[in-house]
Amino acid sequence: MAAILMDGNALRDEIIAGLRVTVEAAGSPPICLATVLVGNDGPSQRYVASKHKKALEAGLVARHVDLPDTATQGEVEAAVRELTEDVSVHGVLVQLPLPDGLDPEPVLDLIPPEKDVDGLTERSMGRLLRNRPGLVGCTPNGVMRLLEKYEVPTSGSRAVVIGRSTLVGLPLSLLLNRKGADATVTMAHSRTADMNAVVREADIVIGAAGQAGMITGDMIKPGAAVIDVGVSRTEAGIVGDVDRLSVEPVAGWLTPMPGGTGPMTIACLMENTLSAAQLQSAFPA
Ligand SMILES: NC(=O)c1ccc[n+]([C@@H]2O[C@H](COP(=O)([O-])OP(=O)(O)OC[C@H]3O[C@@H](n4cnc5c(N)ncnc54)[C@H](OP(=O)(O)O)[C@@H]3O)[C@@H](O)[C@H]2O)c1
């Protein structure tokens, strides 16, 4: 039997429609998501544009700061600092990657945890690690929401996350391992020995390596949930880490690429913006 496809577009639309109802019902002053883009990388420009479009659909307002790729570290930091200090801005997102020569760490760490809608700063990551309330990264959160929506059992399951970045693999491993989700998690990476054997043990497989088609059907335990986060741009279009053709007949659940985890990242960004406004007491909790 073919895998159940986990429709990220449908769940994103459901979440955004729900947010709009909540925002309109509250009748509060506008909730604002601010984005900062440095340089003119095409995919980054498209990501930011789609975030703004969905923010408006969710009943939020969006502000954007565009900086040239010649911007200095000081200029980028000044722009971010200004947004963090503006009480009419509730969430601040710096689109990554920054152009070569700019260090993202000090830029991100200017964002206070209550405005850190990407959940990427040192303090937000620390809260996640310490299991304290806070804003959690949108992509890892989006994966958890998909698992929940499609009732994929996590408790007692064995999960393998391929990738250990602070953006995706590491926070997602922590979320899967947390009380409540209760998976036993293996975090795999480029030095993992015998990846096939590691993946074959898993009830939940997350591909977050950015290696086109690296997860194939012969690696998958029958009935496992396979979540594709990796994005590779090829001549044939956008391709994930999962080789859908061979995996779909074996897996129990599968996210399509595109249309799986990407839309969920945006939906969770909008949720985080509303949560950020609540943390700043700008919206009823
Ligand atoms: N769907 C979405 O919404 C969404 C959101 C964000 C990112 N992404 C995509 O997700 C992917 C990961 O993003 P990222 O920011 O985490 O990337 P990253 O910082 O480059 O990290 C990639 C991770 O994958 C591991 N890796 C690379 N090649 C591997 C291989 N052959 N076998 C096993 N592990 C391997 C790396 O291992 P080492 O640590 O050993 O180098 C690293 O931990 C990218 O394709 C990105 O475009 C998608």
Side-chain angles (χ1 to χ4, degrees):
M1 230 171 64
I4 294 167
L5 288 182
M6 304 166 89
D7 188 343
N9 284 325
L11 183 52
R12 173 203 59 201
D13 291 347
E14 190 182 312
I15 290 172
I16 285 185
L19 288 176
R20 189 178 188 98
V21 169
T22 307
V23 169
E24 285 179 353
S28 66
I31 305 302
C32 176
L33 168 68
T35 54
V36 178
L37 178 63
V38 189
N40 48 14
D41 174 58
S44 293
Q45 286 172 329
R46 286 192 288 279
Y47 284 139
V48 170
S50 63
K51 287 167 186 175
H52 280 241
K53 183 167 175 270
K54 292 298 163 189
L56 300 185
E57 283 177 29
L60 311 176
V61 298
R63 194 188 294 183
H64 183 60
V65 176
D66 231 342
L67 294 170
D69 57 9
T70 51
T72 63
Q73 183 82 25
E75 285 165 344
V76 178
E77 289 181 17
V80 171
R81 193 176 289 109
E82 193 176 323
L83 293 172
T84 64
E85 289 168 358
D86 185 336
V87 291
S88 69
V89 169
H90 303 95
V92 179
L93 178 148
V94 178
Q95 185 66 40
L96 298 176
L98 294 178
D100 287 348
L102 295 175
D103 183 356
E105 299 295 333
V107 175
L108 292 178
D109 285 331
L110 289 169
I111 305 171
E114 64 278 7
K115 289 194 179 186
D116 180 18
V117 286
D118 243 353
L120 277 179
T121 66
E122 218 168 82
R123 284 189 284 171
S124 296
M125 294 291 288
R127 287 181 181 195
L128 177 64
L129 196 63
R130 297 281 298 269
N131 219 356
R132 297 262 170 83
L135 298 171
V136 175
C138 306
T139 304
N141 215 1
V143 170
M144 297 306 291
R145 294 293 298 272
L146 273 171
L147 292 172
E148 196 182 305
K149 173 74 178 177
Y150 283 87
E151 299 179 343
V152 174
T154 55
S155 180
S157 69
R158 298 190 70 156
V160 170
V161 179
I162 308 176
R164 56 179 164 181
S165 72
T166 49
L167 180 66
V168 189
L170 176 62
L172 183 50
S173 300
L174 292 169
L175 290 174
L176 283 162
N177 185 65
R178 248 184 185 179
K179 265 203 184 310
D182 296 316
T184 301
V185 183
T186 300
M187 213 188 321
H189 46 77
S190 65
R191 312 285 292 177
T192 296
D194 201 353
M195 183 69 82
N196 284 26
V198 171
V199 171
R200 207 170 292 118
E201 294 277 290
D203 306 298
I204 298 172
V205 180
I206 317 274
Q211 299 293 318
M214 73 170 285
I215 302 170
T216 49
D218 57 319
M219 299 163 78
I220 299 299
K221 180 173 167 179
V226 182
I227 312 292
D228 202 355
V229 177
V231 174
S232 303
R233 285 163 215 289
T234 69
E235 280 182 4
I238 287 178
V239 178
D241 287 359
V242 176
D243 173 45
R244 179 168 173 176
L245 204 62
S246 63
V247 169
E248 194 171 350
V250 188
W253 297 265
L254 174 65
T255 55
M257 174 61 70
T261 54
M264 289 305 298
T265 296
I266 293 194
C268 289
L269 174 64
M270 301 315 146
E271 279 193 333
N272 271 356
T273 306
L274 198 60
S275 302
Q278 287 168 337
L279 290 172
Q280 291 155 69
S281 306
F283 193 82

